[in-house]
């Protein structure tokens, strides 16, 4: 039985890993301008060995628009899902998401301020959002630190709610100040999240952050398992709960803030993907976090594909699609497996 | 591994909780720590497990001071089973038990075959292997606690600390857990457990320490530490400490506080023995002054009578009733307002109690409980039966039920017939319907 469950975990992992290939191909091939799979394939494999003029246009679309967008989707989905899984494990609460420390509200405030102040420049918006997210999480973390230098998870959650509300108020005020101008659309679109701004510069920044952060979180997945026993329980298993918590909170915050900075606050991926994977393969975080990361990446690329094709040539914000796709599937699993989370 | 605690002090918000504890638990011993709520038991355990750091004094595992060990090293030597743990997620039993191997494994190392062996062994020992793949959340309290014990055993510890491991378990699961712990101790595991149940402590611990107001009130083998006086001092409770005839360990029974006595309605003398007097004594003690004779100190009737403050005539165990005791018994009977003969087995040793009743002048104030069963409890070859029949023939009152008797005696008193020795017109008290 046990061997079976380990087997099925490996199977799930292998299937997910394999699915990234068609996901990548579909993400690049499908769009307002149809690009044949063969072209996509030849570009991805042969990298720009163009033969005639039509395919060089295709290659331009692939290299400058589609591929960066799909890759950004993979990175963002991976980071949000693995951070969400980590937060749920850390807080021992299935309702935790990557935004539990107020990162989304903080980032929105940062981004809306950049838009309000009319700071033009490719990296100003991400930088503002990143700083806002880190700032919010930092305040929450400081508030939750007790005199004994320990961090209480309950205070973290409550402080996250309160600080989030405060930053949301600032954002709302910014929107109020923007009213009547085009900026208001920018702010609203930013908060709904999207991969439309993807470019290679973003990817150069984000790839090492997401890769490194994910590796650290996976390395600490056994600490998450131990922390399921409570903090004293983890201590008795040889884990320093305070250190582990700090590292995981820090890395998850960095990951989340980074991807939010480039893609806005895309909801539901970080909440629902870890849940779904938990229902499928169980709660052992050593398996859960890697599979969650891959599943999140795949899910976001497909959600983005739907977002940009369903009302083509218009684009729906991807956050709406993630909710539309994720929530019903989640409810279905919940109903089928029972509330055993 | 030996635990040594040297002058341990700990206070919480400036009020001292532990005030100089010295204690050594040698390898393979089971030490139970008992004490009233708030006496600092759990605090002591947390100081030993490294969760809390003492303010004064030290804890040593063998010769190493606790702070000199890293958290991982500590977890290799010492495992803890707590009272109750809430598991956040849906882990399987095996996954929980496998956590016990964490301190023996590097961050990136996979489960080795040694790990797998330990996990399997621990699950066998704690008898959780049959539901290894079930979710921890589906298990009962007793099963869950065995899973946590299995996790602790998978740690391959030298020291096991338990904080009230059996508090929420039924009697069967309590014993299962204790038996597993005993096996492990016999194999060299040092066990220190905080436990509420004094009888479990007495039965399973090699030594018992009573913690009271942050100090050790007593420490020693169960019979030496768990004395009535110590328990009274620590728990403010009257208990009777006896010996369990089956297990030979001591057992502790709580004793209800003395019933508030109404004014005595008269004096009654009880002839009993072999436990036959216990219900009678308890039924009558609140309204009557009681005396009992002749019984031996080994008899439970003796202990009940003593507890209820009855006047006693006693004789050495297994000795025939001496002339002196017999005389004292007679004197008590004569000064009583009534004599009750319980459903006692009679043998050569106590036959004299029955013949004493025959010497009384007024047989009408003698009440005989269940005389019809005398033949079954007559070990004198018919002599006791003969004596009892003579008693009944000369006016003694047969009684079916002790409560009926009590009602009769009380109403008799209130009808103004103060002396129960007055002959009654009622010849027998019968249960309704007979």
């Amino acid at each position: 039985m046990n061997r079976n469950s380990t087997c099925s975990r490996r199977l799930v992992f292998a299937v997910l890993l394999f699915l990234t290939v068609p996901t990548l191909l579909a993400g690049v091939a499908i769009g307002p301008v149809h690009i044949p799979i063969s072209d996509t394939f030849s570009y991805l494999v042969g990298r720009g060995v163009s033969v005639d003029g039509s395919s060089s246009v295709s290659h331009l679309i692939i290299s400058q628009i589609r591929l960066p967008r799909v890759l950004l989707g993979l990175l963002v989905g991976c980071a949000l899902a693995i951070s969400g899984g980590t937060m749920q494990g850390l807080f021992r609460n299935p309702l935790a998401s990557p935004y539990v420390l107020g990162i989304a509200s903080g980032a929105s405030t940062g981004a809306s301020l950049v838009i309000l102040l009319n700071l033009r420049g490719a990296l100003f918006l991400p930088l503002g959002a990143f700083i806002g997210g880190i700032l919010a999480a930092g305040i929450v973390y400081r508030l939750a630190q007790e005199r004994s230098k320990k961090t209480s998870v309950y205070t973290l959650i409550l402080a996250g709610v309160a600080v989030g509300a405060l930053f949301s108020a600032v954002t709302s005020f910014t929107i109020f100040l923007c009213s009547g101008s085009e900026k208001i659309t920018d702010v609203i679109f930013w908060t709904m999240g999207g991969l439309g701004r993807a470019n290679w510069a973003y990817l150069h920044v984000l790839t090492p952050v997401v890769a490194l952060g994910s590796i650290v979180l996976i390395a600490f997945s056994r600490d998450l398992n131990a922390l399921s026993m409570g903090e004293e329980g983890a201590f008795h298993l040889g884990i320093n709960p305070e250190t582990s918590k700090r590292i995981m909170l820090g890395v998850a915050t960095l990951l989340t803030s980074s991807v939010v900075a480039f893609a806005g606050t895309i909801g539901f991926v970080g909440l629902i993907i870890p849940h779904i994977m938990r229902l499928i393969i169980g709660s052992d975080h050593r398996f859960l976090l890697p599979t969650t990361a891959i599943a999140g990446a795949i899910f976001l690329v497909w959600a983005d594909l739907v977002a940009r094709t369903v009302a083509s040539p218009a684009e729906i914000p991807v956050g709406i699609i993630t909710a539309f796709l994720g929530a019903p599937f989640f409810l279905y699993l919940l109903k089928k497996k029972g509330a055993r989370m | 591994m030996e635990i040594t605690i040297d002058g341990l002090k700990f206070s919480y918000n400036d009020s001292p909780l532990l005030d100089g504890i010295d204690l050594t638990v040698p390898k393979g011993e089971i030490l139970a720590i008992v004490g009233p709520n708030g006496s600092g038991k759990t605090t002591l355990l947390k100081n030993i497990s490294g969760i809390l750091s003492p303010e004064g004094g030290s804890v040593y595992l063998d010769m190493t001071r606790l702070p000199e060990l890293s958290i991982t090293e500590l977890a290799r030597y010492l495992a803890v089973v707590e009272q109750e743990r809430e598991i956040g997620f849906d882990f399987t039993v095996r996954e929980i038990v496998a956590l016990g191997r964490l301190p023996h494994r590097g961050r990136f190392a996979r489960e080795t075959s040694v790990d797998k062996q330990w996990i399997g062994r621990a699950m066998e020992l704690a008898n959780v292997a049959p539901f290894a793949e079930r979710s921890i959340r589906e298990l009962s309290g007793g099963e869950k606690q065995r899973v946590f014990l299995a996790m602790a055993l998978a740690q391959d510890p030298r020291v096991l600390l338990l904080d009230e491991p059996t508090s929420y378990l039924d009697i069967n699961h309590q014993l299962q857990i204790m038996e597993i712990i005993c096996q492990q101790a016999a194999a060299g595991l040092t066990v220190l457990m905080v436990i509420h149940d004094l009888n479990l402590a007495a039965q399973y611990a090699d030594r018992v320490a009573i913690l009271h107001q942050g100090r050790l009130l007593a420490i020693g083998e169960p019979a030496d530490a768990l004395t009535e006086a110590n328990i009274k001092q620590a728990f403010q409770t009257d208990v009777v400490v006896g010996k369990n005839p089956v297990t030979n360990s001591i057992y502790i029974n709580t004793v209800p506080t003395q019933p508030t006595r109404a004014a005595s309605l008269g004096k009654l003398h009880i002839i009993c023995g072999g436990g036959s007097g216990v219900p009678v004594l308890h039924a009558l003690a609140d309204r009557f002054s009681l005396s009992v004779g002749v019984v031996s100190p080994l008899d439970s009737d003796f202990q009940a009578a003593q507890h209820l403050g009855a006047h006693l005539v006693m004789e050495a165990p297994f000795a025939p009733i001496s002339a002196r005791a017999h005389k004292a018994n007679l004197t008590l009977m004569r000064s009583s307002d009534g004599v009750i003969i319980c459903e006692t087995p009679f043998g050569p040793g106590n036959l004299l109690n029955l013949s004493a009743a025959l010497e009384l002048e007024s047989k009408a104030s003698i009440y005989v409980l269940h005389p019809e069963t005398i033949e079954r409890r007559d070990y004198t070859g018919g002599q006791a039966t003969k004596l009892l029949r003579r008693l009944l023939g000369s006016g003694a009152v047969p009684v079916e039920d002790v409560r009926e008797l009590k009602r009769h005696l009380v109403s008799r008193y209130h009808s103004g017939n103060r002396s129960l020795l007055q002959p009654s017109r009622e010849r027998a008290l019968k249960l309704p319907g007979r």
Side-chain angles (χ1 to χ4, degrees):
Chain A
M1 180 73 191
N2 168 51
R3 211 152 293 142
N4 264 340
S5 72
T6 315
C7 257
S8 68
R9 279 174 186 154
R10 295 223 172 101
L11 190 70
V12 170
F13 190 76
V15 166
L16 283 172
L17 212 55
F18 171 76
L19 279 179
T20 49
V21 177
T23 302
L24 193 69
L25 286 176
V28 173
I30 302 170
V33 177
H34 177 73
I35 297 170
I37 292 278
S38 58
D39 270 21
T40 312
F41 199 74
S42 80
Y43 176 81
L44 289 178
V45 176
R47 269 221 85 144
V49 207
S50 61
V51 198
D52 54 62
S54 76
S55 73
S56 74
V57 172
S58 304
H59 283 185
L60 203 65
I61 294 177
I62 293 174
S63 70
Q64 293 312 309
I65 301 174
R66 298 267 174 90
L67 190 56
R69 185 166 182 150
V70 169
L71 292 179
L72 184 67
L74 290 174
L75 289 177
V76 173
C78 163
L80 287 178
I82 201 170
S83 303
T86 304
M87 292 293 192
Q88 289 173 4
L90 270 180
F91 290 92
R92 270 169 276 146
N93 187 332
L95 287 179
S97 80
Y99 303 140
V100 71
L101 297 184
I103 294 172
S105 315
S108 299
T109 303
S112 58
L113 282 176
V114 169
I115 294 169
L116 175 73
L117 298 175
N118 240 340
L119 299 172
R120 305 275 173 201
L123 284 177
F124 272 123
L125 193 61
L127 201 64
F130 180 76
I131 291 171
I134 293 278
L135 188 70
I139 293 173
V140 169
Y141 192 72
R142 286 291 302 181
L143 284 174
Q145 262 195 346
E146 290 163 0
R147 262 171 300 166
S148 54
K149 292 272 176 199
K150 284 189 174 170
T151 331
S152 141
V153 287
Y154 299 104
T155 325
L156 273 176
I157 292 179
L158 291 175
V161 170
V163 170
L166 194 68
F167 275 93
S168 293
V170 177
T171 309
S172 301
F173 187 62
T174 319
I175 293 174
F176 171 75
L177 290 181
C178 293
S179 58
S181 85
E182 273 174 26
K183 290 176 189 165
I184 194 161
T185 331
D186 290 349
V187 173
I188 288 172
F189 262 83
W190 190 90
T191 45
M192 286 197 268
L195 303 171
R197 288 179 299 273
N199 62 50
W200 286 104
Y202 282 12
L203 292 173
H204 288 314
V205 180
L206 211 49
T207 309
V209 174
V210 173
L212 216 65
S214 301
I215 288 170
V216 173
L217 288 183
I218 290 168
F220 274 81
S221 55
R222 58 169 220 151
D223 301 46
L224 272 187
N225 285 344
L227 280 164
S228 310
M229 298 288 113
E231 296 192 11
E232 289 187 8
F235 177 87
H236 296 315
L237 291 170
I239 305 289
N240 186 337
E242 210 43 47
T243 313
S244 299
K245 240 178 0 182
R246 246 176 245 173
I247 291 174
M248 282 188 278
L249 277 176
V251 171
T253 300
L254 193 71
L255 269 183
T256 309
S257 300
S258 305
V259 299
V260 164
F262 293 108
T265 52
I266 298 171
F268 282 91
V269 182
L271 176 68
I272 282 171
I273 296 296
H275 257 322
I276 291 174
M277 294 323 293
R278 212 183 277 280
L279 287 173
I280 294 173
I281 65 158
S283 288
D284 188 338
H285 293 88
R286 290 174 306 154
F287 295 93
L288 183 62
L289 289 191
T291 42
T292 296
I294 301 176
I298 293 173
F299 174 72
L300 194 62
V301 170
W302 283 101
D304 183 53
L305 196 58
V306 174
R308 61 194 156 89
T309 52
V310 77
S312 175
E315 260 187 38
I316 300 173
V318 70
I320 296 174
I321 304 297
T322 53
F324 257 117
L325 292 180
F329 184 54
F330 176 63
L331 286 175
Y332 159 75
L333 274 181
L334 197 64
K335 202 80 188 129
K336 198 174 149 212
K337 284 233 177 182
R340 281 179 31 198
M341 281 174 295
Chain B
M1 199 170 237
E2 187 177 84
I3 311 172
T4 310
I5 300 164
D6 178 26
L8 183 74
K9 284 188 184 185
F10 190 86
S11 54
Y12 187 70
N13 284 345
D14 294 331
S15 60
L17 264 180
L18 298 174
D19 193 14
I21 306 278
D22 296 297
L23 189 66
T24 302
V25 194
K27 179 176 187 241
E29 182 179 274
I30 301 180
L31 177 77
I33 298 176
V34 301
N37 290 335
S39 59
K41 303 186 296 282
T42 299
T43 310
L44 175 60
L45 209 68
K46 287 190 173 176
N47 271 284
I48 301 170
S49 72
I51 290 283
L52 299 172
S53 316
E55 279 159 16
S58 300
V59 177
Y60 299 87
L61 293 182
D62 278 344
M63 301 308 284
T64 317
R65 265 187 75 223
L66 220 51
E68 289 164 25
L69 293 166
S70 74
I71 295 178
T72 312
E73 281 175 318
L74 185 60
R76 277 182 209 147
Y77 297 134
L78 182 144
V80 179
V81 176
E82 283 159 351
Q83 192 176 27
E84 208 195 1
R85 271 191 189 128
E86 194 52 48
I87 298 301
F89 294 107
D90 215 7
F91 285 94
T92 66
V93 168
R94 193 187 182 281
E95 282 168 345
I96 298 278
V97 178
L99 288 178
R101 297 307 296 166
L102 278 187
H104 299 277
R105 213 166 64 208
R107 182 170 294 284
F108 297 98
R110 306 173 122 239
E111 240 170 52
T112 63
S113 61
V114 177
D115 289 330
K116 289 198 171 86
Q117 270 173 22
W118 269 105
I119 294 164
R121 206 181 85 101
M123 290 200 296
E124 290 295 332
L125 280 174
N127 197 18
V128 300
F131 40 90
E133 293 306 321
R134 279 181 48 202
S135 163
I136 184 83
R137 291 190 168 184
E138 293 168 8
L139 303 184
S140 73
E143 291 167 333
K144 248 188 227 173
Q145 203 59 328
R146 292 213 307 273
V147 173
F148 293 132
L149 185 59
M151 182 184 93
L153 295 179
Q155 266 176 270
D156 183 22
R158 304 285 173 266
V159 173
L160 183 62
L161 306 181
L162 303 115
D163 190 357
E164 289 169 26
T166 59
S167 281
Y168 294 117
L169 306 187
D170 64 40
I171 193 162
N172 172 34
H173 288 108
Q174 284 184 347
L175 298 191
Q176 284 187 12
I177 297 269
M178 289 317 225
E179 294 291 344
I180 298 165
I181 293 166
C182 280
Q183 278 172 22
Q184 294 304 304
L189 184 68
T190 308
V191 179
L192 195 147
M193 62 180 174
V194 163
I195 195 160
H196 262 310
D197 190 321
L198 299 180
N199 285 316
L200 275 184
Q203 192 176 345
Y204 287 101
D206 298 311
R207 287 192 302 156
V208 176
I210 305 180
L211 200 59
H212 178 52
Q213 295 178 346
R215 287 167 183 273
L216 286 186
L217 180 71
I219 177 164
E221 289 184 15
D224 299 330
L226 293 172
T227 62
E228 288 168 11
N230 284 343
I231 293 170
K232 168 98 181 157
Q233 191 184 342
F235 293 90
Q236 321 288 314
T237 306
D238 288 303
V239 295
V240 173
V241 178
K243 199 145 205 176
N244 184 326
V246 181
T247 62
N248 196 39
S249 62
I250 59 164
Y251 68 85
I252 294 105
N253 274 332
T254 54
V255 176
T257 41
Q258 297 274 341
T260 43
R261 278 161 203 273
S264 171
L265 301 184
K267 288 201 257 177
L268 294 175
H269 185 78
I270 321 279
I271 291 172
C272 54
S276 63
V278 177
V280 180
L281 288 161
H282 276 281
L284 299 173
D286 60 333
R287 305 303 297 272
F288 297 94
S289 312
L290 301 178
S291 56
V292 175
V294 177
V295 285
S296 95
L298 285 185
D299 201 315
S300 53
D301 286 341
F302 177 92
Q303 287 165 14
Q306 200 177 36
H307 169 61
L308 292 168
H311 202 82
L312 274 161
V313 182
M314 64 170 173
E315 189 54 81
F318 307 113
I321 293 169
S322 65
R324 188 188 50 76
H326 179 63
K327 211 175 150 206
N329 201 20
L330 258 178
T331 314
L332 274 176
M333 279 190 201
R334 289 218 165 89
S335 68
S336 295
D337 301 322
V339 173
I340 298 164
I341 299 173
C342 298
E343 202 178 353
T344 311
F346 285 100
N350 64 348
L351 192 62
L352 214 50
N353 282 341
L354 210 50
S355 37
L358 268 173
E359 293 181 37
L360 282 182
E361 290 72 25
S362 170
K363 310 285 193 298
S365 62
I366 298 175
Y367 300 89
V368 185
L369 278 155
H370 293 286
E372 72 281 0
T373 62
I374 180 65
E375 277 166 22
R376 264 185 275 143
R377 49 190 165 91
D378 181 355
Y379 301 99
T380 58
Q383 284 186 64
T385 310
K386 217 186 281 174
L387 287 178
L388 203 72
R389 294 225 167 104
R390 265 174 67 198
L391 267 177
L392 291 167
S394 50
V397 186
V399 185
E400 292 279 334
D401 183 286
V402 66
R403 275 170 299 175
E404 191 66 31
L405 170 65
K406 184 178 183 182
R407 237 172 282 144
H408 169 73
L409 294 171
V410 172
S411 73
R412 224 168 186 222
Y413 173 83
H414 286 301
S415 68
N417 204 345
R418 290 193 71 100
S419 169
L420 299 169
L421 285 168
Q422 294 289 323
S424 162
R425 256 174 291 141
E426 259 178 289
R427 296 306 301 167
L429 295 163
K430 297 253 178 195
L431 281 178
R434 276 196 69 163

